[in-house]
Amino acid sequence: MRVFKSFVLLFLVPMVKSSTVQLKNGGYEDIVIAINPELPEDHNIIRNIQAMIKEASTYLFHATKQRFFFKAVKIIIPLHWLPKPDYLNVKTESYDKADVIVANPFLKYGDDPYTLQYGGCGEKGRYIHFTPDFLLKDNLNNIYGSRAKVFVHEWAHLRWGVFDEYNNDAPFYVSVNSGTGSVEATRCSGDITGKYIVQSCTGNSCTTRECKYDQQTKLYEAGCKFVPDKTQNALASIMYMQSLPSVVEFCDRSTHNEKATNMQNKMCNYHSTWEVIMNSPDFNNTSQINSASPPFETSFSLLQTKDRVVCLVLDVSGSMTGNNRIKRLYQAAEIFLLQIIEIGSWVGIVTFHSTAQIKSNLQQIVSDNVRQNLIAHLPTSAGGGTNICKGVRKGFEVIKQKYSNLDGSELVLLTDGEDSGMSSCLTEVENSGSIIHTIALGPSAAPQLEQFSDMTGGLKLYATDTVDSNGLIDAFSGISSGSGNTAEQSIQLESTARSVAVKQWMNGTVTIDSTVGNDTFFVVTWDQSTSPPDILLRDPKGKEYRTSAFTVSNLNLRTARLNIAGTAEVGDWLYWIQNSHTVSQVISMIVTSRAASLTVPPVTVKAHMNKDTNNFPHPMVIYAEVSQGFLPVLGATVMATVEPQTGSAVELKLLDDGSGADITKNDGIYSKYFTSFKGNGRYNLKVHIQGRNKTVRLGRRQSRALYVPGYIENGEIKMNAPRPEVSDDEIQAKLGSFNRVATGGSFVVANVPSGGTTDVFPPCKIIDLEAQFEEDKIHLSWTAPGNDLDVGQADRYIIKMSESLLDLRNTFENATSVNTSSLIPNPAGTKESFQFKAESVTIENGTVIYFAIRAIDNAFLTSEVSNIAQAALFLPPKESLPGTLPPDVISDGINVSVIVLIVTGAVIVVLIVVSTTVCILYKKNGKGGPALRM
């Protein structure tokens, strides 16, 4: 029971992104499906989406035993598609917050539908990705099944946090029943029947044969596929092979295959997908519907995006004079207007204190002159009180001067002060149709500020008064368009700052990769002198840019800017900056750029926390998703900086190794637990990413619909075309060295003890335990947890073993202990290895032993029970082993030893016969007869 309680608690963790989906009386409403702006106009995409969801609604209704259906869906149409009378305006919906994205794959990787999942069991996913070909080409139905079934498969990933019940990395496992071993396909349920086939193709001619065993793995050989019978009796499972006509259910407790080596078992503690769904908030907040079909047919709203409209609403109250805030605001807003806001956007500026004032009505960014004109309206002085609602209303007024409504517009609201009257405009904000991004500056910004962002789907950003963190510049730099058009968006390559002593140097390297280089800016800021420091910038070909090449505006005397003409050179750009002032000062380097090509997507980074608010002592998780197009970038170095409201910043290295907070190895999502809480209040997240040509590469998405190799119909094997793959060489050739910086926004922490924290975090759960037989010994391996989750070093391990998987899961304490007295934990992230001889078990062919492990720290806090690892001893029949034959076997399969025995026996028989004949003849002829001649 205790294990299951911890399993249920996983569902209390908030999801990573703020989906707008609502569940009302079993019907899902406000599902957002966004079509990528790069796709050409094709209304068949819309029609097929509608047909898919309508059919999926009925399928989901029956699969969930008359509990859920799809009631209302919004489809976002790209700006460049021709407008139609039935298209409505987007409001707070946007491409980057959509539940489903329709976009081309990168590198023609294929059409696998998949769901991007960040978190563990029961945690909602980020989005579902469908390619246009998947929605348009009916021939893919034979590979994935109907689109409706695929959508339900992916919806279960997205909404309920279940995982796939197949495993491309471990497609087979050893199953032992009644002492008899066999190799089985990783599937759920185990009742799905089929054959194990290897297909070989030369040109258009293909042959198939039965799979053989591999001598090394004792499983089936590489290239072996499980080909299912088209006609099945098994009803489950949608998370394995939703394409089978008979499959209409999720695996439940009675049909679940807990022996299968899949992510569902690993991540959900061997519970079935239906058990996970039943423990979700959705299930607990709904009742079964007494109807044979969904009570409503799915309705659709078509929403079209429009030009980006942004109004800066900037606090100029008296407190903005302190800590150099008004000048820092100017610096940061200038970078936003010159480098971040996309061309074609409309921008206005409002300032507020006790009252509000329009500084600039909406102007469209069509030239650098417009950008410069907007900068001239940025505030340079401050004074007065703080009335946030007046600022917001004045921002709305600016937008309404051009547009009849506020739908889809954005406000960037910055304030450093408290305002007790904010509640007076909350309802107005919520119903406005405008998105409000909030920037809290300093420790006293109104604690209610984030409500504006929560209600409208805006970003929540925070900047401290620490000058050497670039917090305010990073906040403005993170407010890029949510349109999904990465070719237009500004990408931050560098943002670093530090205090530099008199006559000392700040130097560094910024790598410009081949995916960016257009509209590239190098910006140097400083905080004391009115004259710039000495700057030297050298491009990869040796061309040098000195201070005189940088522009310092008359209005902003502490910023020097260099815009590189054309496309910047690919490679390492080196800079040296000397503080020529008479006192120490903080100097910073900020570099931004845009995509070099409309056809090659740039490397991008999205940083997040797993939740926006947290109560101590619950930990948090930092995520950084690094990708190019829709493919994950592997092998990067990712450093996260968390800056608290008070106290020094904390640096953490995020990992993509499938241990600790990182649930999946090599998925491009780098993760780490965060537990270093320095007090209550806001925290700011920023990540630095560095990729080097020799270590980074692109990977493949996981949590995807199964690509079915073929089917068996009426005894005939009908194979599908092999799944398209991209070679590692091709992937590697597309990616070089790069630098990126991204803001992860802000989060708020409460209930941190004022007198400091004690050790309240146990070691994290081990999720990558593996076991195997090595002769008469057992070898275990796993990644070491920490003292506090995945940081530090645990004190000791407890390892248990059992011949029953479920007994080990349910009653870990009662299982047989393994002697670990010689096992000393290594620091977190280290690969552990432990070998021992199982004295209490007789190891023979067919033996299966299960293992689990817990870690204990020096405060006697104990981790959760790890994933359960299986060690199976299975000796397949020798005649089924492919490859080279043993030396005592000849080509026709006859054993040499047997031949020797047969020949030897024959010789002996001949000798006996000859000897007997001689004796008889000798007696018959008498002693004196003629000699017998041989």
Side-chain angles (χ1 to χ4, degrees):
M1 182 59 70
R2 180 165 64 252
V3 173
F4 199 72
K5 280 182 179 177
S6 65
F7 166 73
V8 173
L9 285 174
L10 289 171
F11 297 99
L12 303 178
V13 180
M15 60 185 171
V16 176
K17 85 179 181 80
S18 53
S19 170
T20 60
V21 176
Q22 300 182 63
L23 178 62
K24 297 178 181 178
N25 300 319
Y28 288 107
E29 301 180 16
D30 296 333
I31 301 167
V32 177
I33 300 177
I35 299 172
N36 189 281
E38 296 176 5
L39 293 186
E41 186 166 358
D42 188 341
H43 290 273
N44 289 321
I45 292 177
I46 298 174
R47 282 191 283 270
N48 287 358
I49 287 173
Q50 292 171 329
M52 173 179 71
I53 303 297
K54 284 181 179 179
E55 183 184 342
S57 184
T58 300
Y59 186 66
L60 178 71
F61 188 70
H62 294 298
T64 58
K65 301 173 174 51
Q66 290 76 46
R67 194 172 288 268
F68 303 118
F69 62 96
F70 299 118
K71 187 176 181 182
V73 174
K74 299 174 181 177
I75 301 176
I76 297 181
I77 311 297
L79 174 66
H80 69 86
W81 289 26
L82 292 176
K84 290 192 172 186
D86 57 337
Y87 290 175
L88 305 174
N89 288 329
V90 293
K91 292 187 177 180
T92 58
E93 307 86 4
S94 65
Y95 178 91
D96 65 348
K97 292 180 292 188
D99 305 290
V100 182
I101 289 172
V102 180
N104 281 320
F106 181 42
L107 295 179
K108 298 181 180 178
Y109 172 62
D111 295 294
D112 287 337
Y114 69 88
T115 302
L116 184 61
Q117 289 181 274
Y118 274 37
C121 186
E123 294 186 50
K124 291 181 173 65
R126 292 282 297 163
Y127 60 76
I128 297 168
H129 177 205
F130 291 131
T131 67
D133 280 354
F134 172 79
L135 291 170
L136 296 172
K137 293 185 176 180
D138 292 339
N139 64 322
L140 294 176
N141 288 356
N142 204 44
I143 292 170
Y144 301 105
S146 74
R147 297 185 188 104
K149 286 187 167 186
V150 171
F151 186 75
V152 171
H153 174 101
E154 299 306 331
W155 183 260
H157 283 308
L158 181 77
R159 186 69 186 181
W160 302 313
V162 300
F163 290 86
D164 285 323
E165 291 172 333
Y166 72 94
N167 188 344
N168 283 333
D169 295 328
F172 308 110
Y173 68 97
V174 173
S175 176
V176 177
N177 296 305
S178 304
T180 303
S182 63
V183 175
E184 298 285 345
T186 301
R187 64 198 191 281
C188 192
S189 79
D191 293 333
I192 291 177
T193 59
K195 292 182 179 179
Y196 299 92
I197 301 296
V198 171
Q199 183 182 47
S200 302
C201 296
T202 304
N204 294 325
S205 176
C206 295
T207 59
T208 59
R209 61 170 174 81
E210 291 187 1
C211 298
K212 298 179 180 180
Y213 294 109
D214 184 278
Q215 194 168 3
Q216 298 298 318
T217 67
K218 305 299 188 289
L219 301 172
Y220 284 125
E221 62 189 297
C224 179
K225 306 289 185 184
F226 176 72
V227 180
D229 294 311
K230 189 83 171 185
T231 302
Q232 299 275 347
N233 293 322
L235 301 178
S237 167
I238 291 169
M239 298 314 295
Y240 169 56
M241 197 174 284
Q242 72 285 330
S243 57
L244 291 172
S246 69
V247 170
V248 293
E249 296 178 354
F250 295 97
C251 269
D252 59 18
R253 188 175 295 179
S254 63
T255 57
H256 180 60
N257 180 9
E258 71 272 358
K259 296 178 182 178
T261 52
N262 54 37
M263 281 292 284
Q264 173 63 24
N265 277 329
K266 177 181 177 181
M267 297 309 303
C268 295
N269 206 16
Y270 303 87
H271 290 285
S272 68
T273 52
W274 185 242
E275 287 176 274
V276 175
I277 294 168
M278 287 198 309
N279 281 281
S280 69
D282 285 359
F283 196 95
N284 293 324
N285 293 328
T286 56
S287 302
Q288 204 168 23
I289 298 169
N290 186 20
S291 172
S293 59
F296 297 94
E297 186 176 280
T298 312
S299 65
F300 295 90
S301 303
L302 304 182
L303 314 176
Q304 189 165 31
T305 56
K306 62 181 183 181
D307 288 333
R308 192 179 187 198
V309 180
V310 180
C311 185
L312 303 183
V313 179
L314 308 175
D315 185 352
V316 293
S317 61
S319 55
M320 288 292 291
T321 59
N323 294 290
N324 219 16
R325 288 176 188 164
I326 196 70
K327 291 180 179 176
R328 289 165 52 217
L329 167 59
Y330 191 104
Q331 279 182 335
E334 182 185 62
I335 287 175
F336 177 78
L337 293 171
L338 284 181
Q339 301 169 219
I340 308 301
I341 187 73
E342 298 81 5
I343 195 163
S345 303
W346 295 80
V347 182
I349 300 173
V350 164
T351 60
F352 70 93
H353 43 78
S354 304
T355 59
Q357 180 183 3
I358 297 175
K359 304 294 286 187
S360 172
N361 289 314
L362 289 179
Q363 298 186 54
Q364 189 172 25
I365 307 289
V366 292
S367 67
D368 286 340
N369 288 337
V370 176
R371 295 181 187 271
Q372 293 291 344
N373 186 43
L374 284 166
I375 290 169
H377 292 96
L378 289 174
T380 56
S381 60
T386 304
N387 192 318
I388 293 172
C389 283
K390 284 191 176 180
V392 169
R393 291 189 179 110
K394 191 63 72 172
F396 288 164
E397 183 183 323
V398 168
I399 295 164
K400 285 183 176 179
Q401 287 178 358
K402 177 173 175 55
Y403 294 96
S404 59
N405 56 56
L406 300 170
D407 293 349
S409 63
E410 300 171 61
L411 260 59
V412 177
L413 173 60
L414 178 144
T415 184
D416 72 337
E418 295 189 29
D419 179 3
S420 59
M422 284 183 63
S423 58
S424 65
C425 59
L426 284 177
T427 302
E428 189 178 340
V429 165
E430 187 172 18
N431 298 328
S432 67
S434 182
I435 299 167
I436 299 185
H437 309 296
T438 56
I439 303 176
L441 177 58
S444 301
Q448 302 85 5
L449 186 64
E450 282 81 4
Q451 290 183 40
F452 285 166
S453 297
D454 289 333
M455 290 188 300
T456 64
L459 300 171
K460 289 182 280 193
L461 303 159
Y462 169 59
T464 68
D465 285 323
T466 306
V467 182
D468 59 1
S469 69
N470 278 0
L472 195 53
I473 289 173
D474 295 337
F476 272 98
S477 299
I479 307 174
S480 58
S481 166
S483 69
N485 192 340
T486 56
E488 294 180 356
Q489 292 172 352
S490 176
I491 296 172
Q492 199 168 6
L493 307 186
E494 181 61 286
S495 173
T496 186
R498 66 171 179 264
S499 180
V500 181
V502 177
K503 299 301 180 184
Q504 295 302 302
W505 294 83
M506 169 181 169
N507 53 53
T509 303
V510 179
T511 303
I512 294 183
D513 58 278
S514 61
T515 70
V516 294
N518 285 345
D519 201 24
T520 302
F521 286 87
F522 287 82
V523 180
V524 177
T525 71
W526 57 99
D527 73 329
Q528 295 292 331
S529 173
T530 55
S531 58
D534 293 329
I535 306 169
L536 172 61
L537 175 67
R538 183 180 296 155
D539 79 5
K541 290 188 173 180
K543 181 178 179 180
E544 294 186 347
Y545 302 85
R546 296 188 178 270
T547 309
S548 57
F550 285 70
T551 300
V552 179
S553 73
N554 294 329
L555 293 173
N556 187 2
L557 298 176
R558 292 175 180 167
T559 301
R561 177 176 283 99
L562 173 67
N563 185 11
I564 304 299
T567 303
E569 290 287 344
V570 172
D572 290 342
W573 290 64
L574 309 179
Y575 64 85
W576 296 265
I577 306 170
Q578 186 183 38
N579 179 16
S580 54
H581 193 41
T582 55
V583 296
S584 297
Q585 61 177 342
V586 173
I587 297 174
S588 69
M589 170 64 85
I590 298 101
V591 184
T592 63
S593 188
R594 297 186 199 272
S597 166
L598 294 176
T599 58
V600 179
V603 174
T604 58
V605 179
K606 295 177 182 176
H608 306 271
M609 303 297 296
N610 66 323
K611 45 192 170 182
D612 296 332
T613 59
N614 186 52
N615 287 312
F616 186 86
H618 297 293
M620 297 189 71
V621 183
I622 306 172
Y623 298 114
E625 177 195 343
V626 188
S627 59
Q628 183 183 14
F630 287 97
L631 292 185
V633 173
L634 314 181
T637 300
V638 181
M639 299 299 299
T641 303
V642 180
E643 190 179 12
Q645 197 161 290
T646 56
S648 57
V650 177
E651 276 205 346
L652 294 167
K653 184 176 183 180
L654 309 187
L655 300 174
D656 185 19
D657 62 353
S659 69
D662 190 68
I663 66 163
T664 306
K665 184 177 182 178
N666 289 340
D667 64 350
I669 300 170
Y670 298 75
S671 317
K672 194 77 171 178
Y673 283 110
F674 176 71
T675 59
S676 301
F677 301 110
K678 300 294 182 73
N680 295 323
R682 294 184 176 97
Y683 289 69
N684 173 57
L685 170 64
K686 174 179 176 179
V687 293
H688 280 85
I689 299 91
Q690 186 179 68
R692 286 293 165 256
N693 189 44
K694 293 182 179 179
T695 59
V696 293
R697 59 188 175 89
L698 295 176
R700 293 160 170 77
R701 287 294 184 207
Q702 305 187 40
S703 291
R704 58 183 186 239
L706 178 62
Y707 190 103
V708 181
Y711 299 95
I712 300 171
E713 291 187 78
N714 301 318
E716 183 183 353
I717 299 172
K718 297 180 179 179
M719 300 295 285
N720 290 321
R723 185 177 180 278
E725 295 283 357
V726 178
S727 70
D728 287 340
D729 289 343
E730 184 179 356
I731 286 176
Q732 182 68 32
K734 299 288 183 181
L735 198 63
S737 300
F738 63 90
N739 278 107
R740 295 292 185 272
V741 174
T743 178
S746 65
F747 59 95
V748 178
V749 179
N751 298 329
V752 178
S754 57
T757 62
T758 57
D759 189 350
V760 296
F761 299 106
C764 63
K765 176 181 176 178
I766 294 166
I767 59 174
D768 61 350
L769 178 65
E770 295 180 356
Q772 64 182 33
F773 281 108
E774 293 185 357
E775 297 179 348
D776 62 340
K777 292 185 173 66
I778 293 165
H779 182 262
L780 303 179
S781 61
W782 66 94
T783 302
N787 181 75
D788 294 338
L789 298 170
D790 56 5
V791 176
Q793 187 170 346
D795 187 64
R796 58 190 175 94
Y797 293 119
I798 300 173
I799 300 177
K800 298 279 188 173
M801 56 186 282
S802 174
E803 295 182 62
S804 167
L805 183 151
L806 294 182
D807 284 352
L808 188 60
R809 182 192 74 179
N810 297 332
T811 57
F812 176 87
E813 295 83 358
N814 298 334
T816 302
S817 295
V818 175
N819 185 350
T820 58
S821 58
S822 62
L823 180 58
I824 299 173
N826 283 302
T830 307
K831 200 66 181 177
E832 300 274 32
S833 180
F834 183 60
Q835 192 174 65
F836 66 97
K837 189 170 184 178
E839 303 289 351
S840 59
V841 178
T842 301
I843 298 176
E844 55 190 4
N845 191 16
T847 298
V848 175
I849 309 175
Y850 299 97
F851 298 88
I853 185 170
R854 299 179 81 169
I856 302 175
D857 69 10
N858 53 12
F860 303 103
L861 299 175
T862 306
S863 72
E864 293 182 52
V865 177
S866 71
N867 67 296
I868 298 174
Q870 176 202 71
L873 183 63
F874 173 60
L875 303 178
K878 285 187 177 181
E879 62 269 24
S880 295
L881 293 173
T884 58
L885 295 168
D888 61 339
V889 179
I890 59 177
S891 59
D892 61 358
I894 302 175
N895 192 292
V896 174
S897 302
V898 174
I899 294 174
V900 172
L901 289 173
I902 292 172
V903 172
T904 303
V907 171
I908 293 171
V909 170
V910 170
L911 290 174
I912 292 172
V913 171
V914 171
S915 300
T916 304
T917 303
V918 169
C919 290
I920 293 172
L921 289 174
Y922 182 76
K923 289 182 179 179
K924 185 178 289 186
N925 293 324
K927 292 181 181 180
L932 181 64
R933 302 186 183 274
M934 296 290 292

